[in-house]
Amino acid sequence: MTTGTLALIIATLLITQAAALLLTGYYRRWQKHKAEPGQVAPPLTAPPSSRAELLRPGGEQTWSGFREFEVQRRVYEDGDRQICSFYLAPVDGRPLPPFQPGQFLTFRLSVEGPGGGQTLTRCYSLSDRPRSDCYRVSIKRVPGSTGAEGLPPGRSSNYFHDHVEPGSRLQVKAPAGQFHLDQESDRPLVLVGGGIGITPMLSMLEHLLETGSRRETWLFYGVRNGVEMVMQPRLQQLAEQHPYFHLYSCFSQPLESDRPGIDYQHRGRVDIDLLRNTLPMAGYQFYLCGPQPMMQSLVPDLEALGIHPADIHYEAFGPASIPGKKPHAPAQQADSDIAFEVRFSKSGRRVTWQPGAGSLLELAEAEGIEVDSGCRAGSCGVCQTRLESGEVGYDTPPDADIESGHCLLCKSKPKGDLVLQL
Ligand SMILES: Cc1cc2nc3c(=O)[nH]c(=O)nc-3n(C[C@H](O)[C@H](O)[C@H](O)COP(=O)(O)OP(=O)(O)OC[C@H]3O[C@@H](n4cnc5c(N)ncnc54)[C@H](O)[C@@H]3O)c2cc1C
Ligand code: FES
């Protein structure tokens, strides 16, 4: 063989190897793209920003107040088209800060109603794992009721379903909330989602599985039937792919087309007997989110079973009282002599607050006083109320900015007698 032929062979081999490397790279990127159907390309028009107030030392970016987002796409997630996911990318095109799976976004909407325009503030849980290009929320349409009560349809949820389209712009506060996965722990997990309460669980689950967590994870998902189930194919796919994840779908009123053992694992609601009979009940951390009756029975039942309260995390999407933790539960012995008078100046009511009464929001609700609330976690600012006299305290500093002379009812407790403008 001549030197020239040898050189030709070596050159051909080198070119083939380079081409193979390039093709493998493209193939992997294509596979990754396929596996992440929710991924949204960053807007091409994204202007580079130099606003330093958005930067954290670690390079992550967060924001205070409201930031403008554009809806990239929307996807119905259930057979009845009552739950719709919205994928949101920031208009400024800068990367999104990570969030804790389980947290929520707060939206400010300008909505036209029969009585004219109004501004609504509503919270929606992030339903996907953290990613730097977009957020996802999944919103259930709240219908009106026709019975004796004749309640009107939910304003925000119907606005999202009927008017928010790809290209719509929305004002959004940064992810917040204390109900989120304990990422430091490697303890096994039980996630319980009832109805639309599945959304924070989806985020936790997607995050755990994406990061290759080996934590044993059970998802108990309660709905009436398969038509109501959100993201059924995705959940079943995850259950098939991950040996540490166990999906337990519970249908209280299965349809004839729902196949036992395939579409659902349990006929009935998620209750303590189901958990006790299915789980070894050793060392689990519990995360629950669902309708009031589910929470009202499960939380005390878990405690009665000996689960430490610190291992039971729960969130309600509206006013929810849990027996044993409800506003007028008896005060603990050590606090029994603490009592302050709270006066609601507009309604002219006076009540006594004791430590067992919880937050001022819970106290007002227990008295039947109408109060606006959103997150119930000190983040959205909706429950801000004028404090005419007295002082309040917060167990943990709230995220929302509080105007001087005001307090956030959902997070505050009196430090002495006080008067609220309610
Ligand atoms: C932390 C958190 C996370 C959440 N995450 C999600 C989520 O992921 N997905 C989701 O879909 N929802 C979620 N929610 C619930 C969501 O924030 C809204 O509460 C929900 O969409 C209903 O809002 P709306 O404006 O549509 O209804 P609203 O207009 O507030 O009405 C709510 C209900 O009250 C009734 N009503 C309206 N007016 C009156 C009246 N005058 N008197 C009596 N009743 C009346 C309505 O008929 C309706 O049944 C979350 C809530 C919180 C606090
Ligand atoms: S309800 Fe959101 S801050 Fe109080």
Side-chain angles (χ1 to χ4, degrees), residues 122-125 138 140 151-152 154-157 196 199 317 374:
R122 292 287 184 278
C123 305
Y124 291 100
S125 299
S138 305
K140 179 177 180 182
L151 293 177
R155 289 157 293 171
S156 158
S157 55
I196 192 61
T199 50
F317 283 175

Side-chain angles (χ1 to χ4, degrees), residues 83 102 104-105 109 120-127 137-145 150-159 196-197 199-200 289 315-318 370 373-377:
I83 297 169
F104 58 83
L105 296 175
L109 306 167
L120 302 176
T121 307
R122 292 287 184 278
C123 305
Y124 291 100
S125 299
L126 288 144
S127 62
V137 290
S138 305
I139 299 181
K140 179 177 180 182
R141 190 194 278 277
V142 177
S145 70
L151 293 177
R155 289 157 293 171
S156 158
S157 55
N158 282 278
Y159 176 79
I196 192 61
T199 50
C289 184
E315 179 165 79
F317 283 175
E370 217 170 278
S373 68
C375 64
R376 307 175 77 84

Side-chain angles (χ1 to χ4, degrees), residues 31-89:
Q31 286 287 1
K32 194 162 178 280
H33 177 74
K34 259 202 336 174
E36 294 179 349
Q39 184 148 11
V40 175
L44 294 174
T45 52
S49 173
S50 59
R51 289 174 57 200
E53 72 273 14
L54 286 183
L55 285 175
R56 276 187 192 154
E60 297 158 357
Q61 296 168 4
T62 189
W63 68 97
S64 63
F66 286 90
R67 183 173 176 186
E68 197 168 38
F69 278 68
E70 187 170 289
V71 176
Q72 300 289 302
R73 64 194 186 104
R74 43 178 286 166
V75 179
Y76 285 109
E77 304 288 7
D78 61 329
D80 263 352
R81 295 165 74 88
Q82 294 302 297
I83 297 169
C84 188
S85 285
F86 297 86
Y87 291 81
L88 314 165

